[in-house]
Every structure is written in C-alpha cells, then in structure tokens.
Amino acid sequence: MQKPIRIAPSILSADFAKLGEEVRAIDTAGADYIHIDVMDGHFVPNITIGPDVVKALRPHSDKVFDVHLMIDPVDPYIQAFADAGADIITAHIEAGQHTHRTLQAIRATGAKAGISLNPATPESSIDYLYEELDLILVMSVNPGFGGQSFIASQLRKIEAIRKRIDSLGLDIDLQVDGGVNPVTCIHVIEAGADVLVAGSATFKGGPSEYAANIKRLRG
C-alpha cells in the first residue's frame, strides 16, 4: 500500500553561503525530509559535504535528515553521519561488495537503512535485501550534479520495485531522485514512488517560493 507523498528537498541546490537559513526555510515551507547529498569526488564526479556540516545543520530543523551517501567506501563513515544527526542513511548498491553488512551497520547505529540504485542498475540487484531496508532510492539521473533531466526509463524500475514492496507487505519508502519537477512528479507518483527528492524544483525562485514549489511537487 502506497504511503502519503512526502517531499525531500535536496540541499544540493540551496545557497551554500547560508545553508542553515535555507534548511530552516524549507522546513517552514512544508518539507517532510531534508535530503542531504554527500559526494566524495570518487564514486561520483563531485565533492559536497561531510558529517561536520550535517552536525552543524542538525539544530536548524527537527525534520527527518535523509542522508544520501554517494561515496565509496561507505562503511568507515556510517557512524560519523549517524552521530551527526542522520535519521536515514542511504548507501549505493554499486559502492561495495558487502551491501548486507553495510545495511546492518547502518541499522546498528539506530538510523534507518536505505539503498540506492543508479540508472543502469537493475532492480534485481536488491532482490535479497528487501527485509533489511527502510528506504529504496531510485536515481533518475546519473548522480553527481543537480539540474539534470529525468531519465524516463526509470519509471519501469519504480513500478517493478513498488510491486515487489507491496507483494512482500513491507514498510519501505520508495524514493526517487533526479529531474523531479512539477511535470515529472506526476509520472513518478503514478509509478509508485512516495518520497520525491527535488533540488532545483524546490529552491527555484528563492525562499518566498519554497512553499508553493513544494506544494506543486505533491502531484
């Protein structure tokens, strides 16, 4: 059964010169989760932030901190992000040989465990992980940069994962990240996603527009 639609603005598109203010603004504007993209310049071709920044942002919002680790290796950094205030920690299936162990390590910190799939990665790659998951993130762009166009082939993947979650009767968030805007969100929701990550579409127009932008993304 699909859950209510939740919006997770990606602070990758925020004004980094005033990140705390931006987090407070999207919280007030109605964000459900605060999506934090962590990139290492190795697993993806960009570098963003580390656990110290997450820790500094934590006092600015009581909303769920949804930390997406686009890094390799993952395991050595799990505890640091949990200690910094992450509520959900998502790792990539492509980032390690022992994903089951990684998910167990995330849950051992008290955080919820997520897995992310790049566009070229089939949904079959997580066949034996569903029982260990609180969240599945389908990347609808190749990770590394904001502002990219939605890859429509990922709708089939979203649909397949939604059917699998429902058939197993599990309580798993199905999240989509990449090119989500007021047009593509309709197709993403129809395919079965219930958490939408949006950077550019949320932060467009500045703080006075955030509430309207988030409302439009709910489909």
Side-chain angles (χ1 to χ4, degrees):
M1 182 177 177
Q2 195 165 341
K3 302 177 184 179
I5 302 303
R6 283 145 294 156
I7 306 301
S10 168
I11 64 169
L12 184 63
S13 296
D15 183 345
F16 269 50
K18 47 185 179 181
L19 210 46
E21 293 176 39
E22 291 277 65
V23 168
R24 291 198 302 274
I26 57 174
D27 182 325
T28 302
D32 299 290
Y33 293 179
I34 309 297
H35 189 81
I36 302 172
D37 289 307
V38 177
M39 306 182 188
D40 64 358
H42 166 66
F43 181 68
V44 292
N46 197 4
I47 298 173
T48 54
I49 63 175
D52 285 348
V53 175
V54 176
K55 183 178 180 180
L57 293 175
R58 184 68 272 188
H60 292 274
S61 174
D62 292 327
K63 297 288 176 65
V64 170
F65 268 27
D66 171 28
V67 177
H68 178 194
L69 299 182
M70 288 170 270
I71 64 175
D72 181 12
V74 175
D75 293 11
Y77 301 97
I78 290 170
Q79 190 65 55
F81 281 102
D83 291 344
D87 297 295
I88 305 169
I89 298 176
T90 299
H92 270 260
I93 187 73
E94 306 89 359
Q97 293 83 11
H98 307 289
T99 310
H100 191 277
R101 181 182 294 157
T102 298
L103 296 172
Q104 288 182 318
I106 293 171
R107 283 186 155 180
T109 69
K112 291 186 175 181
I115 200 70
S116 183
L117 293 79
N118 283 336
T121 301
E123 63 272 11
S124 59
S125 65
I126 60 170
D127 269 353
Y128 299 98
L129 296 174
Y130 280 82
E131 287 76 8
E132 302 297 327
L133 293 169
D134 299 295
L135 179 145
I136 298 169
L137 169 53
V138 175
M139 291 300 302
S140 44
V141 299
N142 288 293
F145 299 96
Q148 299 184 69
S149 297
F150 185 84
I151 299 173
S153 63
Q154 300 310 295
L155 292 171
R156 298 196 306 274
K157 188 186 296 180
I158 298 164
E159 290 171 353
I161 293 173
R162 165 53 56 199
K163 288 178 182 176
R164 185 69 188 281
I165 292 171
D166 290 349
S167 71
L168 293 170
L170 295 172
D171 182 18
I172 299 175
D173 286 350
L174 179 48
Q175 185 177 72
V176 177
D177 182 0
V180 175
N181 59 45
V183 175
T184 58
C185 73
I186 297 169
H187 305 296
V188 167
I189 293 168
E190 287 177 348
D194 48 34
V195 184
L196 277 55
V197 177
S200 304
T202 298
F203 288 94
K204 182 180 180 180
S208 64
E209 297 297 318
Y210 292 170
N213 291 344
I214 289 171
K215 185 177 181 181
R216 280 192 285 270
L217 291 168
R218 295 192 189 276

